[in-house]
Amino acid sequence: MTVELIRHGNTLWQGTGRYQGKSDVSLSAAGLAELHPPEIGPETVYITRLCRTRQTAERLFPHAKLVETDGLEEMDFGDFEGRSANDMEHDPAYRAWVDTMCQGPCPNGESQTQFIRRVTAAFARLLDAAAVKETNLTIVAHGGTQLVVLSAFADPKKPYFDWSVPCGHSYVLDASRWPTERRLTVLAQRDYTKEAAP
């Protein structure tokens, strides 16, 4: 089985420095326009409950059945949602969080450890279920989701933030070792912001 893990397109907040996390922020007009559907798409695409993944999937795979999957949403930044680092420069709670290298809990949100546990558990459940009936699994999720899944399960191994790719890009993964080793092998990256996206 192969797995394609796609980061949603550019949103209204992308590039503003604002933490969007669990906030339900739509794709921008430019973000939607720059996404180019492939010639052949999957029959089913798994998305999160946040509209930016649904809008991306609808644009790229207009004929696919979309299935919402719990647990793969972006990190919950709690009180920091919708605000930028500049906005919170003198906020004691934000400064305290930054001092933990952004790994401690966000007020009324998640810690990085909680986020990683949530996403890895949700991804494993989805992959285990899909392995029984699917040969190709397509997921449209978030940048943070990609970082968690790839740093936890992918080979060759790389540090967490080294897996970052721009919006509209994906990783294609070989999941043949998943049932026995819980590992994925990176096969390729795709860029859906180019006309010739495969």
Side-chain angles (χ1 to χ4, degrees), residues 8 47-57 140-142:
H8 61 74
I47 60 173
T48 74
R49 61 180 175 79
L50 299 177
C51 69
R52 54 191 184 266
T53 63
R54 176 174 293 277
Q55 291 169 336
T56 299
V140 178
H142 307 271

Side-chain angles (χ1 to χ4, degrees), residues 28 43 65 84 93 104 148-149:
S28 65
E43 293 183 3
K65 174 185 176 183
S84 71
V148 168
V149 168

